[in-house]
Amino acid sequence: MNNPESPLPHNESERLAALKRYNILDTLPEYAFDDATKLVAYICNVPIAHISFIDKNRQWFKSEIGLGASEVPREITFCRYTIMESKTVEIRDTYLNERFKNDPNVVDGLKVRFYAGIPLTTPDGYNIGTICAIDHVSKELSENQLNALSIVAKHVINQLELRTKNLELAAQKKIVQRAVLAKDSFLANMSHEIRTPLNAIMGFTDLLDQTNLNAVQRDYIESMQIAQENLLLIVNDILDLSKIESGNLTIDEQPFNLKNSLKHIYNLLKVKVPAAVEFNLFLDADMPEIVIGDQGRLNQILVNLTGNALKFTEEGEVTVSVKNIEETAEHYSLKFSIKDTGIGIPEQKLEHIFERFTQAEESTTRRFGGTGLGLNIVKQLIELQNGEIQVKSKPGRGSEFFFVLNYKKANYIETVNLPLSDYNLGKLKILLCEDNFLNQKLVKNVIRNFGFELDIAGNGEIGIEFLSKNKYDLILMDLQMPVKDGYQTTQYIRNTMKLNIPIIAMTAHSLVGEQERCYNEGMNAYVPKPFKQEALLEAIKMALSKDVTLVLKRKIDLSFLEEVSFGDLGFRQDMIDLFLEKIPNEITLLGLAINNNDIDTVKRLSHNMKSSLDIFLLKDLSNYVSIIEKEAFRGQFSSETLDKINILHNEIIEVTTILKKIR
């Protein structure tokens, strides 16, 4: 080669920084770049074409035709000169070029006779790579061909810019997701810490209410129950806010008795009515008995709005009215109105009254209490049901909140709920896995009232020991326990012990996705704490009456893979195929390595597997592998590691089965 020197652009350090910013080096093939390379070969009618990037020591090919190489040393490339230029470099005949006529790739190797290269220039002016067309015969490109090459080069840079912005957006999305996860984690812990003692307080209060009490004691009990319900309402408001924000709060449409529901709310709130206030419930004569909709959310809306009206009205009246304003063959349109003669809302505050943590006046919070969350949640619950809440108010003269909801018609015969004593489930033997002493005592008393037998395990590990020695009809499973939590215990029961015994989750978390996760892990029913005795008994009845044959339905989340593929279905398919090819074999090798105490192999395999599992957002499996990797670095495996391998093996089988169906 005539010119062994390695020329460097005057802005080499800045150029390398610009290249690094795109994070393109050593990435997998992408259709957008491959298509651009094919277009270059077609435009120039050449057998060799490539899109490449030049770093400190090499020329790396993002896409190539006719080369058969992924990279070459920078000092032997034609393109190290091209990045010094601002326009296309065209060498029509290398035999006549003093710089390249003796180059090894001219006289031998690729036998380059024609070369055309155009720099890939970033928007801020740095040449980070090239687009090249190469032939074994001499030729000359037309002006149209040269212009087309320039257009392709701009397209490649635009693709890089788009790719970088998408990666930045993905990174920002991860930051937001981590923030949401941190918030959800805080809410979960807060919920658990509040609900666990509240569950015991409410449960024992209900049990005490069932005993013989004098008038004064019963009055105290009723006051305690009202205070408990108020506290629970605040907790539920915060949790509902989290569900609404994450888009996971859904409207459940079931037949229910509308008139009975409204009368129940009226009777519930009558105890709050001040002596100087008249409390009325007016129901339209044409109002239907049975409708299809979300009874729980309607109750929540009306309790909140009516509770506010009663709280802010010291004299006069509060009226709840429901009117059937339209009826079709399929649905009823019902107008709900809550009107009071209370303190009212200033006109300038009306537009902000539904904002979060907002009350009409600062003094309102001090005087009447409240979190300022209620109206915001009410507004969003109504909007989730395709309605709109409106308000009319004047200071000192009262307020009216009103909205219209559509309910489907139902052909439905209401069933009568039996009292607890009328359920006949036989003599059941139940295992409770629960670490909190108060909750243990509460459940023991409730289960004894049901007439069932109960054993108590303080954590999942003890529960598994009980299961190995005794036969039970059902398990009540707390989710948050030491040693083995409810999820780990359920996984062991289902995957290792292969038991189909009904399992009811009992949790104080009650957060977004918790119930679905319980079902996915193999549990059969779900009871949030604080629980009512009727709800627990109904869950027991449901779990025992259902076919409890285990069917785990894992969901594969491809969202991260779709983000990084930028809509490239071929790339997504390649990644799925690689997973199916590698991971089942690697899990087998990992198990063997652990059995043989081969620390280095466990480190390597667990690290590689974790990256693959993270791509498919299999967080639970990735966590298992992380634990195994940490144990390998400590040089000692725990007694539970083999259990983790068994769980991983079974879960990987399920994952591969699902991936084979969607690829």
Side-chain angles (χ1 to χ4, degrees), residues 617-647:
L617 299 180
L618 298 166
K619 294 179 181 178
D620 55 335
L621 306 188
S622 178
N623 288 338
Y624 277 130
V625 176
S626 294
I627 294 170
I628 293 172
E629 184 182 15
K630 289 175 184 176
E631 290 181 351
F633 275 99
R634 288 198 299 265
Q636 186 176 5
F637 299 115
S638 69
S639 59
E640 296 179 2
T641 301
L642 287 178
D643 293 340
K644 292 183 178 68
I645 285 295
N646 290 331
I647 293 171

PDB file of all heavy atoms in Angstrom, residues 617-647:
ATOM      1  N   LEU A 617     -39.108  -9.426  29.812  1.00  0.00           N
ATOM      2  CA  LEU A 617     -39.728  -8.887  31.025  1.00  0.00           C
ATOM      3  C   LEU A 617     -40.269  -9.985  31.936  1.00  0.00           C
ATOM      4  O   LEU A 617     -41.320  -9.834  32.577  1.00  0.00           O
ATOM      5  CB  LEU A 617     -40.846  -7.899  30.661  1.00  0.00           C
ATOM      6  CG  LEU A 617     -40.393  -6.675  29.855  1.00  0.00           C
ATOM      7  CD1 LEU A 617     -41.573  -5.766  29.553  1.00  0.00           C
ATOM      8  CD2 LEU A 617     -39.302  -5.892  30.569  1.00  0.00           C
ATOM      9  N   LEU A 618     -39.528 -11.105  31.993  1.00  0.00           N
ATOM     10  CA  LEU A 618     -39.892 -12.197  32.895  1.00  0.00           C
ATOM     11  C   LEU A 618     -39.230 -11.927  34.245  1.00  0.00           C
ATOM     12  O   LEU A 618     -38.261 -12.575  34.641  1.00  0.00           O
ATOM     13  CB  LEU A 618     -39.445 -13.539  32.302  1.00  0.00           C
ATOM     14  CG  LEU A 618     -40.106 -13.893  30.959  1.00  0.00           C
ATOM     15  CD1 LEU A 618     -39.384 -15.039  30.279  1.00  0.00           C
ATOM     16  CD2 LEU A 618     -41.576 -14.242  31.170  1.00  0.00           C
ATOM     17  N   LYS A 619     -39.771 -10.943  34.961  1.00  0.00           N
ATOM     18  CA  LYS A 619     -39.104 -10.421  36.151  1.00  0.00           C
ATOM     19  C   LYS A 619     -38.985 -11.455  37.259  1.00  0.00           C
ATOM     20  O   LYS A 619     -37.986 -11.515  37.961  1.00  0.00           O
ATOM     21  CB  LYS A 619     -39.851  -9.188  36.659  1.00  0.00           C
ATOM     22  CG  LYS A 619     -39.802  -8.009  35.696  1.00  0.00           C
ATOM     23  CD  LYS A 619     -40.572  -6.813  36.239  1.00  0.00           C
ATOM     24  CE  LYS A 619     -40.537  -5.658  35.252  1.00  0.00           C
ATOM     25  NZ  LYS A 619     -41.319  -4.493  35.751  1.00  0.00           N
ATOM     26  N   ASP A 620     -40.045 -12.268  37.445  1.00  0.00           N
ATOM     27  CA  ASP A 620     -39.980 -13.248  38.525  1.00  0.00           C
ATOM     28  C   ASP A 620     -38.893 -14.279  38.267  1.00  0.00           C
ATOM     29  O   ASP A 620     -38.133 -14.641  39.166  1.00  0.00           O
ATOM     30  CB  ASP A 620     -41.344 -13.918  38.704  1.00  0.00           C
ATOM     31  CG  ASP A 620     -41.872 -14.546  37.422  1.00  0.00           C
ATOM     32  OD1 ASP A 620     -41.472 -14.089  36.322  1.00  0.00           O
ATOM     33  OD2 ASP A 620     -42.682 -15.484  37.505  1.00  0.00           O
ATOM     34  N   LEU A 621     -38.776 -14.732  37.013  1.00  0.00           N
ATOM     35  CA  LEU A 621     -37.740 -15.712  36.680  1.00  0.00           C
ATOM     36  C   LEU A 621     -36.360 -15.070  36.737  1.00  0.00           C
ATOM     37  O   LEU A 621     -35.389 -15.691  37.184  1.00  0.00           O
ATOM     38  CB  LEU A 621     -37.999 -16.303  35.289  1.00  0.00           C
ATOM     39  CG  LEU A 621     -39.392 -16.909  35.054  1.00  0.00           C
ATOM     40  CD1 LEU A 621     -39.446 -17.620  33.723  1.00  0.00           C
ATOM     41  CD2 LEU A 621     -39.762 -17.863  36.181  1.00  0.00           C
ATOM     42  N   SER A 622     -36.269 -13.818  36.285  1.00  0.00           N
ATOM     43  CA  SER A 622     -34.997 -13.093  36.344  1.00  0.00           C
ATOM     44  C   SER A 622     -34.532 -12.931  37.791  1.00  0.00           C
ATOM     45  O   SER A 622     -33.337 -13.034  38.093  1.00  0.00           O
ATOM     46  CB  SER A 622     -35.141 -11.731  35.671  1.00  0.00           C
ATOM     47  OG  SER A 622     -33.946 -10.998  35.748  1.00  0.00           O
ATOM     48  N   ASN A 623     -35.484 -12.708  38.702  1.00  0.00           N
ATOM     49  CA  ASN A 623     -35.131 -12.574  40.118  1.00  0.00           C
ATOM     50  C   ASN A 623     -34.574 -13.870  40.671  1.00  0.00           C
ATOM     51  O   ASN A 623     -33.617 -13.867  41.455  1.00  0.00           O
ATOM     52  CB  ASN A 623     -36.361 -12.147  40.932  1.00  0.00           C
ATOM     53  CG  ASN A 623     -36.742 -10.702  40.676  1.00  0.00           C
ATOM     54  OD1 ASN A 623     -35.919  -9.906  40.237  1.00  0.00           O
ATOM     55  ND2 ASN A 623     -37.988 -10.358  40.928  1.00  0.00           N
ATOM     56  N   TYR A 624     -35.169 -14.998  40.275  1.00  0.00           N
ATOM     57  CA  TYR A 624     -34.643 -16.298  40.701  1.00  0.00           C
ATOM     58  C   TYR A 624     -33.197 -16.470  40.249  1.00  0.00           C
ATOM     59  O   TYR A 624     -32.327 -16.886  41.009  1.00  0.00           O
ATOM     60  CB  TYR A 624     -35.499 -17.433  40.125  1.00  0.00           C
ATOM     61  CG  TYR A 624     -36.739 -17.753  40.910  1.00  0.00           C
ATOM     62  CD1 TYR A 624     -37.975 -17.842  40.285  1.00  0.00           C
ATOM     63  CD2 TYR A 624     -36.684 -17.985  42.282  1.00  0.00           C
ATOM     64  CE1 TYR A 624     -39.125 -18.136  41.002  1.00  0.00           C
ATOM     65  CE2 TYR A 624     -37.833 -18.276  42.999  1.00  0.00           C
ATOM     66  CZ  TYR A 624     -39.047 -18.360  42.358  1.00  0.00           C
ATOM     67  OH  TYR A 624     -40.177 -18.650  43.068  1.00  0.00           O
ATOM     68  N   VAL A 625     -32.956 -16.138  38.967  1.00  0.00           N
ATOM     69  CA  VAL A 625     -31.616 -16.309  38.413  1.00  0.00           C
ATOM     70  C   VAL A 625     -30.632 -15.368  39.106  1.00  0.00           C
ATOM     71  O   VAL A 625     -29.479 -15.732  39.360  1.00  0.00           O
ATOM     72  CB  VAL A 625     -31.632 -16.068  36.889  1.00  0.00           C
ATOM     73  CG1 VAL A 625     -30.223 -16.136  36.313  1.00  0.00           C
ATOM     74  CG2 VAL A 625     -32.507 -17.111  36.200  1.00  0.00           C
ATOM     75  N   SER A 626     -31.078 -14.150  39.437  1.00  0.00           N
ATOM     76  CA  SER A 626     -30.213 -13.196  40.143  1.00  0.00           C
ATOM     77  C   SER A 626     -29.773 -13.746  41.497  1.00  0.00           C
ATOM     78  O   SER A 626     -28.616 -13.597  41.902  1.00  0.00           O
ATOM     79  CB  SER A 626     -30.940 -11.868  40.341  1.00  0.00           C
ATOM     80  OG  SER A 626     -31.177 -11.234  39.118  1.00  0.00           O
ATOM     81  N   ILE A 627     -30.708 -14.374  42.201  1.00  0.00           N
ATOM     82  CA  ILE A 627     -30.375 -14.967  43.502  1.00  0.00           C
ATOM     83  C   ILE A 627     -29.341 -16.063  43.336  1.00  0.00           C
ATOM     84  O   ILE A 627     -28.368 -16.156  44.098  1.00  0.00           O
ATOM     85  CB  ILE A 627     -31.652 -15.504  44.180  1.00  0.00           C
ATOM     86  CG1 ILE A 627     -32.592 -14.338  44.532  1.00  0.00           C
ATOM     87  CG2 ILE A 627     -31.304 -16.301  45.435  1.00  0.00           C
ATOM     88  CD1 ILE A 627     -33.965 -14.781  44.976  1.00  0.00           C
ATOM     89  N   ILE A 628     -29.531 -16.896  42.321  1.00  0.00           N
ATOM     90  CA  ILE A 628     -28.570 -17.979  42.059  1.00  0.00           C
ATOM     91  C   ILE A 628     -27.205 -17.403  41.709  1.00  0.00           C
ATOM     92  O   ILE A 628     -26.162 -17.888  42.172  1.00  0.00           O
ATOM     93  CB  ILE A 628     -29.100 -18.890  40.930  1.00  0.00           C
ATOM     94  CG1 ILE A 628     -30.348 -19.641  41.400  1.00  0.00           C
ATOM     95  CG2 ILE A 628     -28.019 -19.869  40.462  1.00  0.00           C
ATOM     96  CD1 ILE A 628     -31.064 -20.405  40.316  1.00  0.00           C
ATOM     97  N   GLU A 629     -27.191 -16.333  40.902  1.00  0.00           N
ATOM     98  CA  GLU A 629     -25.919 -15.701  40.530  1.00  0.00           C
ATOM     99  C   GLU A 629     -25.206 -15.146  41.759  1.00  0.00           C
ATOM    100  O   GLU A 629     -23.987 -15.308  41.920  1.00  0.00           O
ATOM    101  CB  GLU A 629     -26.174 -14.586  39.514  1.00  0.00           C
ATOM    102  CG  GLU A 629     -24.889 -13.933  39.000  1.00  0.00           C
ATOM    103  CD  GLU A 629     -25.169 -12.790  38.033  1.00  0.00           C
ATOM    104  OE1 GLU A 629     -26.326 -12.325  37.974  1.00  0.00           O
ATOM    105  OE2 GLU A 629     -24.222 -12.372  37.340  1.00  0.00           O
ATOM    106  N   LYS A 630     -25.958 -14.492  42.641  1.00  0.00           N
ATOM    107  CA  LYS A 630     -25.347 -13.948  43.859  1.00  0.00           C
ATOM    108  C   LYS A 630     -24.772 -15.061  44.733  1.00  0.00           C
ATOM    109  O   LYS A 630     -23.692 -14.923  45.317  1.00  0.00           O
ATOM    110  CB  LYS A 630     -26.385 -13.139  44.644  1.00  0.00           C
ATOM    111  CG  LYS A 630     -26.760 -11.822  43.988  1.00  0.00           C
ATOM    112  CD  LYS A 630     -27.877 -11.121  44.759  1.00  0.00           C
ATOM    113  CE  LYS A 630     -28.304  -9.843  44.032  1.00  0.00           C
ATOM    114  NZ  LYS A 630     -29.455  -9.179  44.707  1.00  0.00           N
ATOM    115  N   GLU A 631     -25.506 -16.177  44.828  1.00  0.00           N
ATOM    116  CA  GLU A 631     -25.006 -17.305  45.619  1.00  0.00           C
ATOM    117  C   GLU A 631     -23.726 -17.863  45.006  1.00  0.00           C
ATOM    118  O   GLU A 631     -22.809 -18.271  45.731  1.00  0.00           O
ATOM    119  CB  GLU A 631     -26.077 -18.393  45.714  1.00  0.00           C
ATOM    120  CG  GLU A 631     -27.274 -17.994  46.577  1.00  0.00           C
ATOM    121  CD  GLU A 631     -28.307 -19.096  46.676  1.00  0.00           C
ATOM    122  OE1 GLU A 631     -28.178 -20.099  45.945  1.00  0.00           O
ATOM    123  OE2 GLU A 631     -29.243 -18.958  47.487  1.00  0.00           O
ATOM    124  N   ALA A 632     -23.663 -17.862  43.667  1.00  0.00           N
ATOM    125  CA  ALA A 632     -22.455 -18.356  42.997  1.00  0.00           C
ATOM    126  C   ALA A 632     -21.255 -17.469  43.318  1.00  0.00           C
ATOM    127  O   ALA A 632     -20.148 -17.958  43.564  1.00  0.00           O
ATOM    128  CB  ALA A 632     -22.687 -18.427  41.492  1.00  0.00           C
ATOM    129  N   PHE A 633     -21.464 -16.155  43.344  1.00  0.00           N
ATOM    130  CA  PHE A 633     -20.360 -15.245  43.673  1.00  0.00           C
ATOM    131  C   PHE A 633     -19.940 -15.386  45.139  1.00  0.00           C
ATOM    132  O   PHE A 633     -18.779 -15.139  45.465  1.00  0.00           O
ATOM    133  CB  PHE A 633     -20.751 -13.796  43.362  1.00  0.00           C
ATOM    134  CG  PHE A 633     -20.515 -13.416  41.927  1.00  0.00           C
ATOM    135  CD1 PHE A 633     -21.561 -13.421  41.012  1.00  0.00           C
ATOM    136  CD2 PHE A 633     -19.246 -13.082  41.486  1.00  0.00           C
ATOM    137  CE1 PHE A 633     -21.340 -13.091  39.680  1.00  0.00           C
ATOM    138  CE2 PHE A 633     -19.021 -12.742  40.158  1.00  0.00           C
ATOM    139  CZ  PHE A 633     -20.061 -12.748  39.253  1.00  0.00           C
ATOM    140  N   ARG A 634     -20.893 -15.793  45.992  1.00  0.00           N
ATOM    141  CA  ARG A 634     -20.516 -16.048  47.382  1.00  0.00           C
ATOM    142  C   ARG A 634     -19.840 -17.410  47.534  1.00  0.00           C
ATOM    143  O   ARG A 634     -19.255 -17.699  48.572  1.00  0.00           O
ATOM    144  CB  ARG A 634     -21.754 -15.992  48.289  1.00  0.00           C
ATOM    145  CG  ARG A 634     -22.290 -14.583  48.499  1.00  0.00           C
ATOM    146  CD  ARG A 634     -23.204 -14.529  49.715  1.00  0.00           C
ATOM    147  NE  ARG A 634     -24.357 -15.406  49.566  1.00  0.00           N
ATOM    148  CZ  ARG A 634     -25.546 -15.000  49.118  1.00  0.00           C
ATOM    149  NH1 ARG A 634     -25.711 -13.742  48.767  1.00  0.00           N
ATOM    150  NH2 ARG A 634     -26.545 -15.842  49.024  1.00  0.00           N
ATOM    151  N   GLY A 635     -19.972 -18.244  46.491  1.00  0.00           N
ATOM    152  CA  GLY A 635     -19.327 -19.552  46.508  1.00  0.00           C
ATOM    153  C   GLY A 635     -20.084 -20.603  47.278  1.00  0.00           C
ATOM    154  O   GLY A 635     -19.537 -21.664  47.590  1.00  0.00           O
ATOM    155  N   GLN A 636     -21.358 -20.354  47.582  1.00  0.00           N
ATOM    156  CA  GLN A 636     -22.126 -21.320  48.354  1.00  0.00           C
ATOM    157  C   GLN A 636     -23.598 -21.222  47.984  1.00  0.00           C
ATOM    158  O   GLN A 636     -24.179 -20.138  47.962  1.00  0.00           O
ATOM    159  CB  GLN A 636     -21.939 -21.063  49.855  1.00  0.00           C
ATOM    160  CG  GLN A 636     -22.601 -22.114  50.728  1.00  0.00           C
ATOM    161  CD  GLN A 636     -22.304 -21.887  52.194  1.00  0.00           C
ATOM    162  OE1 GLN A 636     -21.686 -20.895  52.562  1.00  0.00           O
ATOM    163  NE2 GLN A 636     -22.727 -22.801  53.049  1.00  0.00           N
ATOM    164  N   PHE A 637     -24.191 -22.384  47.683  1.00  0.00           N
ATOM    165  CA  PHE A 637     -25.596 -22.428  47.308  1.00  0.00           C
ATOM    166  C   PHE A 637     -26.441 -22.811  48.513  1.00  0.00           C
ATOM    167  O   PHE A 637     -26.064 -23.688  49.297  1.00  0.00           O
ATOM    168  CB  PHE A 637     -25.835 -23.418  46.167  1.00  0.00           C
ATOM    169  CG  PHE A 637     -25.088 -23.076  44.914  1.00  0.00           C
ATOM    170  CD1 PHE A 637     -24.083 -23.903  44.434  1.00  0.00           C
ATOM    171  CD2 PHE A 637     -25.364 -21.907  44.230  1.00  0.00           C
ATOM    172  CE1 PHE A 637     -23.388 -23.584  43.294  1.00  0.00           C
ATOM    173  CE2 PHE A 637     -24.676 -21.576  43.085  1.00  0.00           C
ATOM    174  CZ  PHE A 637     -23.681 -22.414  42.612  1.00  0.00           C
ATOM    175  N   SER A 638     -27.616 -22.148  48.648  1.00  0.00           N
ATOM    176  CA  SER A 638     -28.508 -22.450  49.765  1.00  0.00           C
ATOM    177  C   SER A 638     -29.310 -23.710  49.467  1.00  0.00           C
ATOM    178  O   SER A 638     -29.350 -24.202  48.330  1.00  0.00           O
ATOM    179  CB  SER A 638     -29.459 -21.273  50.008  1.00  0.00           C
ATOM    180  OG  SER A 638     -30.382 -21.162  48.937  1.00  0.00           O
ATOM    181  N   SER A 639     -29.983 -24.203  50.486  1.00  0.00           N
ATOM    182  CA  SER A 639     -30.787 -25.416  50.321  1.00  0.00           C
ATOM    183  C   SER A 639     -31.982 -25.185  49.403  1.00  0.00           C
ATOM    184  O   SER A 639     -32.558 -26.125  48.869  1.00  0.00           O
ATOM    185  CB  SER A 639     -31.287 -25.896  51.693  1.00  0.00           C
ATOM    186  OG  SER A 639     -32.058 -24.884  52.320  1.00  0.00           O
ATOM    187  N   GLU A 640     -32.363 -23.897  49.211  1.00  0.00           N
ATOM    188  CA  GLU A 640     -33.517 -23.591  48.365  1.00  0.00           C
ATOM    189  C   GLU A 640     -33.157 -23.443  46.892  1.00  0.00           C
ATOM    190  O   GLU A 640     -34.042 -23.321  46.052  1.00  0.00           O
ATOM    191  CB  GLU A 640     -34.177 -22.282  48.840  1.00  0.00           C
ATOM    192  CG  GLU A 640     -34.750 -22.351  50.241  1.00  0.00           C
ATOM    193  CD  GLU A 640     -35.375 -21.034  50.666  1.00  0.00           C
ATOM    194  OE1 GLU A 640     -35.382 -20.111  49.844  1.00  0.00           O
ATOM    195  OE2 GLU A 640     -35.849 -20.939  51.803  1.00  0.00           O
ATOM    196  N   THR A 641     -31.859 -23.476  46.583  1.00  0.00           N
ATOM    197  CA  THR A 641     -31.449 -23.231  45.199  1.00  0.00           C
ATOM    198  C   THR A 641     -31.995 -24.293  44.255  1.00  0.00           C
ATOM    199  O   THR A 641     -32.448 -23.992  43.142  1.00  0.00           O
ATOM    200  CB  THR A 641     -29.917 -23.159  45.101  1.00  0.00           C
ATOM    201  OG1 THR A 641     -29.450 -22.120  45.953  1.00  0.00           O
ATOM    202  CG2 THR A 641     -29.483 -22.862  43.676  1.00  0.00           C
ATOM    203  N   LEU A 642     -31.947 -25.557  44.681  1.00  0.00           N
ATOM    204  CA  LEU A 642     -32.484 -26.622  43.837  1.00  0.00           C
ATOM    205  C   LEU A 642     -33.985 -26.441  43.616  1.00  0.00           C
ATOM    206  O   LEU A 642     -34.500 -26.744  42.544  1.00  0.00           O
ATOM    207  CB  LEU A 642     -32.196 -27.991  44.453  1.00  0.00           C
ATOM    208  CG  LEU A 642     -30.727 -28.446  44.370  1.00  0.00           C
ATOM    209  CD1 LEU A 642     -30.552 -29.791  45.059  1.00  0.00           C
ATOM    210  CD2 LEU A 642     -30.269 -28.539  42.919  1.00  0.00           C
ATOM    211  N   ASP A 643     -34.678 -25.932  44.648  1.00  0.00           N
ATOM    212  CA  ASP A 643     -36.105 -25.628  44.466  1.00  0.00           C
ATOM    213  C   ASP A 643     -36.293 -24.563  43.393  1.00  0.00           C
ATOM    214  O   ASP A 643     -37.195 -24.647  42.557  1.00  0.00           O
ATOM    215  CB  ASP A 643     -36.722 -25.126  45.784  1.00  0.00           C
ATOM    216  CG  ASP A 643     -36.754 -26.210  46.852  1.00  0.00           C
ATOM    217  OD1 ASP A 643     -36.669 -27.388  46.478  1.00  0.00           O
ATOM    218  OD2 ASP A 643     -36.859 -25.858  48.045  1.00  0.00           O
ATOM    219  N   LYS A 644     -35.419 -23.550  43.426  1.00  0.00           N
ATOM    220  CA  LYS A 644     -35.511 -22.476  42.431  1.00  0.00           C
ATOM    221  C   LYS A 644     -35.282 -23.031  41.026  1.00  0.00           C
ATOM    222  O   LYS A 644     -35.934 -22.622  40.065  1.00  0.00           O
ATOM    223  CB  LYS A 644     -34.501 -21.378  42.750  1.00  0.00           C
ATOM    224  CG  LYS A 644     -34.794 -20.601  44.028  1.00  0.00           C
ATOM    225  CD  LYS A 644     -33.786 -19.492  44.218  1.00  0.00           C
ATOM    226  CE  LYS A 644     -34.090 -18.674  45.474  1.00  0.00           C
ATOM    227  NZ  LYS A 644     -33.887 -19.431  46.697  1.00  0.00           N
ATOM    228  N   ILE A 645     -34.323 -23.960  40.896  1.00  0.00           N
ATOM    229  CA  ILE A 645     -34.043 -24.550  39.585  1.00  0.00           C
ATOM    230  C   ILE A 645     -35.253 -25.328  39.088  1.00  0.00           C
ATOM    231  O   ILE A 645     -35.629 -25.249  37.913  1.00  0.00           O
ATOM    232  CB  ILE A 645     -32.796 -25.470  39.660  1.00  0.00           C
ATOM    233  CG1 ILE A 645     -31.538 -24.620  39.731  1.00  0.00           C
ATOM    234  CG2 ILE A 645     -32.719 -26.400  38.458  1.00  0.00           C
ATOM    235  CD1 ILE A 645     -31.278 -23.803  38.479  1.00  0.00           C
ATOM    236  N   ASN A 646     -35.904 -26.066  39.985  1.00  0.00           N
ATOM    237  CA  ASN A 646     -37.096 -26.821  39.586  1.00  0.00           C
ATOM    238  C   ASN A 646     -38.214 -25.888  39.134  1.00  0.00           C
ATOM    239  O   ASN A 646     -38.890 -26.131  38.131  1.00  0.00           O
ATOM    240  CB  ASN A 646     -37.582 -27.692  40.751  1.00  0.00           C
ATOM    241  CG  ASN A 646     -36.643 -28.841  41.052  1.00  0.00           C
ATOM    242  OD1 ASN A 646     -35.956 -29.322  40.149  1.00  0.00           O
ATOM    243  ND2 ASN A 646     -36.595 -29.280  42.300  1.00  0.00           N
ATOM    244  N   ILE A 647     -38.394 -24.803  39.901  1.00  0.00           N
ATOM    245  CA  ILE A 647     -39.420 -23.822  39.526  1.00  0.00           C
ATOM    246  C   ILE A 647     -39.074 -23.191  38.181  1.00  0.00           C
ATOM    247  O   ILE A 647     -39.926 -23.062  37.292  1.00  0.00           O
ATOM    248  CB  ILE A 647     -39.547 -22.744  40.625  1.00  0.00           C
ATOM    249  CG1 ILE A 647     -40.111 -23.352  41.906  1.00  0.00           C
ATOM    250  CG2 ILE A 647     -40.424 -21.588  40.157  1.00  0.00           C
ATOM    251  CD1 ILE A 647     -40.064 -22.428  43.106  1.00  0.00           C
TER     252      ILE A 647
END
